[in-house]
Amino acid sequence: MAKIIRSQRASTSSVRSAPKKKPAKAARLLPKPGAKKAAKKAAKRTAKPKPWTSEEVYEAFDRFRKANPEPKGELEHLNPYTLLVAVVLSAQATDAGVNKATRALFAVADTPEKMLELGEDRVRDYIKTIGLYRNKAKNVIALSQKLIAEFGGEVPRTRAEIESLPGAGRKTANVVLNMAFGEHTMAVDTHVFRVGNRTGLAPGKTPLEVELGLEKVIPTEFMLHAHHWLILHGRYTCLARGPRCDVCLINDLCRWPEKTV
């Protein structure tokens, strides 16, 4: 019995004293071809761009002004009321599509009173080629009613009052104030939002951030036409896909790390 116990102890001791095997060294991973280049490119994209100097901002808008001294909005309208309606209808729609529908509509209803006489059903028929036309027809009738009831049938001249109208938001108010009443407002649509961020001129996570950033850096002498220049630049040059950097007026000032010039 003693021999058996001694044998077991010897066996246990031999197990304990057995040398541990060293773990095999992990194979060294070689970087994939082009990995360093891709990493540098990614780092460049995420790096915070250097802010524009006041001289650069002035130079950019001076170039816009020389190329197009009197830029015009592309929404067709006859007066402040039809401009308001056109902007409300333009949400999630193209200016060209809105113009196609409103030419006939405004020919018969260019005031709130005439729009109410037309009625929601007929307004809907006129604008049925525009996205979300059913809800927009309701808004056109509702805002027309409110203009008559609270503003004497006239488009109000403050942002808060315009924003109180059905279907009208901050961008709508800024467009109307600028185009109808000559206010120095900055309407931020998808084009202006893209240009402000891509160029580094006024980066922001929201349209309001971009709006306030642009108002802060753009000299007063350019503010009347600034939002038109930026909209047109985004619509025809600084495209969402395939931006035309080769013909861009401000390509040497632009901070976009992926520009092609």
Side-chain angles (χ1 to χ4, degrees):
M1 183 70 177
K3 288 182 180 180
I4 293 173
I5 293 172
R6 283 197 296 270
S7 175
Q8 288 176 340
R9 286 177 179 173
S11 176
T12 303
S13 175
S14 64
V15 170
R16 286 176 181 172
S17 61
K20 294 181 180 180
K21 291 183 179 181
K22 293 182 179 181
K25 291 184 178 179
R28 189 173 181 180
L29 297 176
L30 296 175
K32 294 181 180 180
K36 288 184 178 180
K37 187 176 180 181
K40 286 182 178 179
K41 191 174 181 181
K44 193 175 181 182
R45 280 199 304 267
T46 56
K48 191 174 181 179
K50 181 181 177 182
W52 288 47
T53 65
S54 57
E55 291 78 15
E56 288 174 323
V57 176
Y58 188 94
E59 175 65 22
F61 283 91
D62 190 46
R63 293 180 191 178
F64 287 140
R65 178 169 60 184
K66 288 175 179 176
N68 187 3
E70 295 290 334
K72 302 296 181 183
E74 296 186 334
L75 280 176
E76 297 174 6
H77 60 282
L78 306 173
N79 52 41
Y81 170 71
T82 54
L83 173 62
L84 170 64
V85 172
V87 179
V88 168
L89 295 178
S90 71
Q92 300 182 50
T94 65
D95 288 0
V98 172
N99 291 338
K100 185 177 180 181
T102 57
R103 286 182 194 124
L105 174 64
F106 294 158
V108 296
D110 59 354
T111 68
E113 294 80 5
K114 291 178 182 178
M115 196 68 74
L116 289 183
E117 289 177 10
L118 198 61
E120 185 180 324
D121 289 345
R122 292 188 63 193
V123 170
R124 190 166 57 240
D125 289 339
Y126 276 104
I127 66 170
K128 62 185 178 182
T129 56
I130 302 173
L132 307 175
Y133 71 95
R134 294 180 185 278
N135 192 52
K136 289 178 179 179
K138 290 180 181 179
N139 285 335
V140 169
I141 292 299
L143 72 83
S144 298
Q145 290 172 330
K146 188 164 185 175
L147 287 176
I148 294 170
E150 299 183 20
F151 302 104
E154 300 293 328
V155 176
R157 299 188 61 157
T158 70
R159 180 185 284 115
E161 288 173 325
I162 295 175
E163 285 187 53
S164 75
L165 299 170
R170 188 178 181 90
K171 188 196 80 171
T172 298
N174 283 337
V175 172
V176 173
L177 290 172
N178 179 268
M179 293 180 63
F181 305 124
E183 299 287 340
H184 288 186
T185 55
M186 175 56 62
V188 177
D189 66 352
T190 55
H191 300 299
V192 176
F193 186 77
R194 179 173 63 256
V195 172
N197 276 288
R198 180 182 278 170
T199 64
L201 184 61
K205 294 181 180 179
T206 65
L208 181 59
E209 285 183 16
V210 173
E211 176 188 332
L212 298 179
L214 289 170
E215 288 181 343
K216 184 177 179 180
V217 300
I218 298 173
T220 302
E221 68 179 277
F222 298 113
M223 276 301 297
L224 180 61
H225 297 310
H227 98 270
H228 281 131
W229 284 320
L230 293 175
I231 287 173
L232 294 173
H233 187 66
R235 183 173 291 162
Y236 298 111
T237 302
C238 195
L239 310 177
R241 295 183 181 181
R244 304 171 62 209
C245 300
D246 56 321
V247 297
C248 174
L249 290 175
I250 59 171
N251 56 26
D252 57 320
L253 302 172
C254 177
R255 301 291 198 264
W256 192 39
E258 297 180 52
K259 61 184 178 183
T260 56
V261 292

